[in-house]
Amino acid sequence: MLEILIQFIGENFGMITILVIASFLGMEIISKVPTVLHTPLMSGANAISGVVIIGAIILIRRAEAGDYFSLVLGTLGIALAMINVAGGFAVTNRMLEMFKKKKK
Amino acid sequence: MEKTITDLLYLVSIILFIVGLKGLSHPETARKGNLTAAAGMILGILVALFEPIEGNNNYGWIVAGVALGSGIGLVAAKKIQMTKMPEMVSLFNGLGGACAMLIGLVEFYNLPAGTDMMSAAVFTDIFALIIGSVSFSGSLIAYGKLNGSLRDNFKLPAPQVINVLTLIAVIAISVMIAMGDSLDFNLVIALLAVSLFYGVVFVTPIGGGDMPVVISLLNSFTGIGAMGAGLIYGNNVMIIGGILVGASGIILTVLMCEAMNRTLLHVLVGGLSGGSGGSGNDREQVVKEVMPNDLAIQLKYASKVIVVPGYGLAVAQAQHTIHELEQLLTAEGVDVKYAIHPVAGRMPGHMNVLLAEADVSYDKLLELDQANAEFPTTDVVLVIGANDVVNPAAKEDTTSPIYGMPILDVELAKTVVVMKRGMNKGYAGIENPLFFGERTKMLFGDAKASINKIKDEVNQA
């Protein structure tokens, strides 16, 4: 078991490095946020998590033409993630539009 | 050659995500940040569509999925009322989780025969499946709780026990899959079911007031789920985009907890919901009522009025009405401001969004500390549909579940008027001694109707 783990780490060391650095980067970026922006930021980050749609696209592109299990579930995945992406960015934009400085 | 180009374009997409997220955390750059991140997403999707991949492409299916999803998402985002924002975010988030879950499921299904079950491929599939499912079902429960279709007291018996048992089941089934000689798809289905159930178990015990924290945490989970799905395909945009959301989501969760003076552990174990009634229950308590016409005169001849808006204002859709009253009073020479508690509404910052929607000027909004400094010189404080953020029990009653939470010290003002539908307890389910205070008067009824009445009276007075 331990051998497998060590082997896994060895083979994917570049990936693990990226993971660690990206985690710190994510924390660093958000370390100071005014309360006013908590909701829009959560909503915007939520839209970014829709990046999972790329996986569903690759999945479908690789699937056999007659593999309906993959095609149907993959398409469902794309649709759901796309709701998250399109809706998420649009709703965040709507929220932030309201913060625009009003002309006096 | 083509591979290098796609990798470079993916890198640009990652940079746009980072720059966008950074922009979203500052007020002046937030809107641009959101658009930047959206541009990164569009680029990432385009590259995924056209990068060289061996396979049938099946573009028809992809176009159908993208068209369907964008259509639903854009219409929903346009139609949703600003008051419903928190549940919308929660629902969207759940759908992203569902996508990670489906990817994990399909990749298991397509696992080539003879694959070593102790391999990175299987581990990443398991990971994406579990995290995606938990995020999906958990977000749906959060959605249901926020929009009221699930009662807040909907709970499972002995939640802690079920929680631990379910978690053990998730781990046990995962180990069974990885230890098998070949893939047993029934185990995958079982893992899916137990993970979905875990999301339910995880979110149901958490009380309403803590919901924003949970949504933020689930958002973070979806990011981590996207990262897991990215590991399956070795796709850097998914991995880094996912982990950025995962990490920033955790930080945001902690910041939100701090705004309420609570720890994450406290929230997860569920503190607020099981609140006791406090100590003053057995005393005979009388509330004083005020009539709209009396209040209107008080307001008109006050020199300073502070409005404390809460979720009650939001549900009554009274943000426009209160703005009209504010303009009316300002025209009479009254100094009207709004005191915004960090967690007013159902999410931090939610109230600012609602008031901005009603065109309330930004410089009329006071933050907690500013407001507390101004209350002693204020003639009338109007508390509209806010309970817990003005509850002095948070300062005085160590047994109170909200003890320690910073609150607005409205009782320092000369007069406090609390607008409420009735005497029922607030969202946190705890008694509020403020209502029985000497300087406090109650105005019962729907917030919008009450404010409209006051407006009419101010006009006539």
Side-chain angles (χ1 to χ4, degrees):
Chain A
M1 193 72 190
L2 189 67
E3 273 170 44
I4 297 168
L5 191 69
I6 290 172
Q7 193 192 350
F8 182 83
I9 293 174
E11 281 169 4
N12 298 286
F13 199 75
M15 202 60 94
I16 292 168
T17 310
I18 290 175
L19 277 185
V20 173
I21 293 174
S23 310
F24 278 104
L25 186 63
M27 293 188 198
E28 203 51 46
I29 292 174
I30 304 298
S31 58
K32 261 192 178 172
V33 190
T35 327
V36 189
L37 280 181
H38 280 179
T39 300
L41 178 64
M42 196 199 294
S43 172
N46 180 16
I48 296 179
S49 69
V51 71
V52 68
I53 191 175
I54 290 179
I57 290 174
I58 298 174
L59 183 155
I60 291 198
R61 287 190 61 198
R62 279 183 185 170
E64 300 289 331
D67 178 5
Y68 289 108
F69 183 85
S70 305
L71 289 175
V72 171
L73 289 189
T75 304
L76 183 62
I78 289 183
L80 295 179
M82 198 61 209
I83 295 177
N84 187 0
V85 170
F89 283 120
V91 107
T92 310
N93 194 49
R94 234 185 100 189
M95 272 190 244
L96 293 172
E97 256 178 1
M98 294 176 182
F99 285 114
K100 267 193 300 199
K101 287 258 157 65
K102 301 266 155 40
K103 291 220 172 71
K104 295 259 162 81
Chain B
M1 175 68 186
E2 278 168 332
K3 176 92 174 75
T4 312
I5 294 173
T6 50
D7 279 351
L8 275 175
L9 289 174
Y10 271 140
L11 182 61
V12 174
S13 171
I14 291 168
I15 293 169
L16 290 174
F17 280 159
I18 295 174
V19 173
L21 202 54
K22 176 88 189 152
L24 268 168
S25 58
H26 295 282
E28 315 91 69
T29 54
R31 201 148 167 257
K32 216 164 142 197
N34 184 51
L35 296 176
T36 309
M41 184 68 74
I42 292 171
L43 178 64
I45 290 175
L46 286 176
V47 179
L49 283 174
F50 299 113
E51 71 170 309
I53 286 181
E54 277 190 40
N56 286 313
N57 284 332
N58 303 304
Y59 279 129
W61 292 85
I62 297 178
V63 170
V66 170
L68 185 67
S70 338
I72 297 174
L74 290 176
V75 170
K78 206 165 160 54
K79 291 216 163 149
I80 188 76
Q81 289 172 341
M82 279 292 151
T83 43
K84 306 262 187 226
M85 207 56 82
E87 46 258 60
M88 195 84 220
V89 173
S90 181
L91 186 61
F92 283 160
N93 181 50
L95 300 181
C99 183
M101 171 184 87
L102 289 171
I103 288 175
L105 187 65
V106 174
E107 287 300 326
F108 258 125
Y109 183 79
N110 290 333
L111 210 62
T115 307
D116 182 7
M117 297 309 287
M118 275 286 186
S119 63
V122 175
F123 293 162
T124 47
D125 288 356
I126 291 177
F127 187 76
L129 185 71
I130 295 175
I131 304 280
S133 312
V134 171
S135 176
F136 174 50
S137 59
S139 296
L140 289 189
I141 296 291
Y143 171 76
K145 281 197 165 203
L146 279 170
N147 78 1
S149 55
L150 277 179
R151 296 293 300 271
D152 209 42
N153 51 16
F154 163 70
K155 272 173 197 145
L156 300 162
Q160 266 88 352
V161 179
I162 298 187
N163 195 317
V164 172
L165 287 179
T166 314
L167 196 57
I168 291 174
V170 169
I171 295 168
I173 298 173
S174 308
V175 171
M176 279 163 74
I177 292 175
M179 300 289 271
D181 294 329
S182 63
L183 180 67
D184 183 350
F185 201 67
N186 291 329
L187 280 178
V188 175
I189 300 293
L191 182 62
L192 175 70
V194 178
S195 304
L196 284 171
F197 184 65
Y198 186 71
V200 176
V201 177
F202 177 63
V203 178
T204 36
I206 297 169
D210 289 329
M211 231 51 222
V213 176
V214 180
I215 296 176
S216 179
L217 190 64
L218 288 169
N219 189 6
S220 175
F221 277 13
T222 303
I224 297 169
M227 176 209 79
L231 287 173
I232 296 177
Y233 301 105
N235 182 295
N236 285 337
V237 182
M238 292 170 75
I239 295 172
I240 297 179
I243 202 70
L244 280 177
V245 176
S248 59
I250 298 268
I251 289 291
L252 189 56
T253 310
V254 172
L255 288 176
M256 288 167 104
C257 285
E258 278 173 7
M260 295 191 288
N261 200 15
R262 299 164 65 67
T263 65
L264 183 56
L265 188 71
H266 211 104
V267 170
L268 294 183
V269 176
L272 269 188
S273 44
S276 69
S279 48
N281 275 346
D282 35 2
R283 202 171 65 214
E284 177 90 9
Q285 289 178 313
V286 193
V287 297
K288 295 184 279 286
E289 275 196 69
V290 63
M291 289 297 127
N293 53 344
D294 284 347
L295 179 57
I297 291 170
Q298 271 189 40
L299 288 172
K300 195 166 172 175
Y301 295 100
S303 54
K304 186 148 98 183
V305 173
I306 294 185
V307 178
V308 179
Y311 191 68
L313 175 104
V315 282
Q317 289 285 316
Q319 65 269 37
H320 297 277
T321 327
I322 189 68
H323 179 51
E324 287 160 25
L325 177 64
E326 169 218 313
Q327 288 174 313
L328 212 55
L329 291 173
T330 309
E332 298 279 345
V334 186
D335 177 18
V336 187
K337 287 187 181 132
Y338 297 81
I340 314 291
H341 191 274
V343 294
R346 285 289 140 97
M347 270 189 173
H350 189 198
M351 197 53 66
N352 303 66
V353 175
L354 293 175
L355 291 176
E357 188 199 11
D359 272 340
V360 172
S361 160
Y362 199 73
D363 51 289
K364 285 197 171 288
L365 307 185
L366 302 176
E367 287 186 25
L368 183 91
D369 295 336
Q370 296 170 302
N372 281 344
E374 294 216 14
F375 283 132
T377 57
T378 304
D379 300 301
V380 186
V381 172
L382 288 178
V383 179
I384 309 175
N387 260 317
D388 304 323
V389 299
V390 293
N391 192 339
K395 288 183 294 193
E396 296 148 7
D397 182 1
T398 48
T399 63
S400 170
I402 59 166
Y403 180 72
M405 184 171 104
I407 62 155
L408 291 163
D409 303 321
V410 291
E411 71 277 6
L412 300 177
K414 295 200 182 78
T415 308
V416 181
V417 176
V418 180
M419 294 192 199
K420 250 173 128 324
R421 281 172 189 280
M423 277 310 286
N424 53 341
K425 292 169 185 171
Y427 205 45
I430 40 188
E431 201 72 67
N432 191 340
L434 173 74
F435 301 160
F436 311 104
E438 244 167 61
R439 301 175 184 177
T440 310
K441 289 173 184 159
M442 309 294 289
L443 178 58
F444 293 114
D446 173 74
K448 195 173 183 174
S450 298
I451 300 169
N452 267 321
K453 259 184 239 161
I454 299 168
K455 256 174 55 195
D456 294 343
E457 299 285 348
V458 170
N459 271 327
Q460 286 169 22

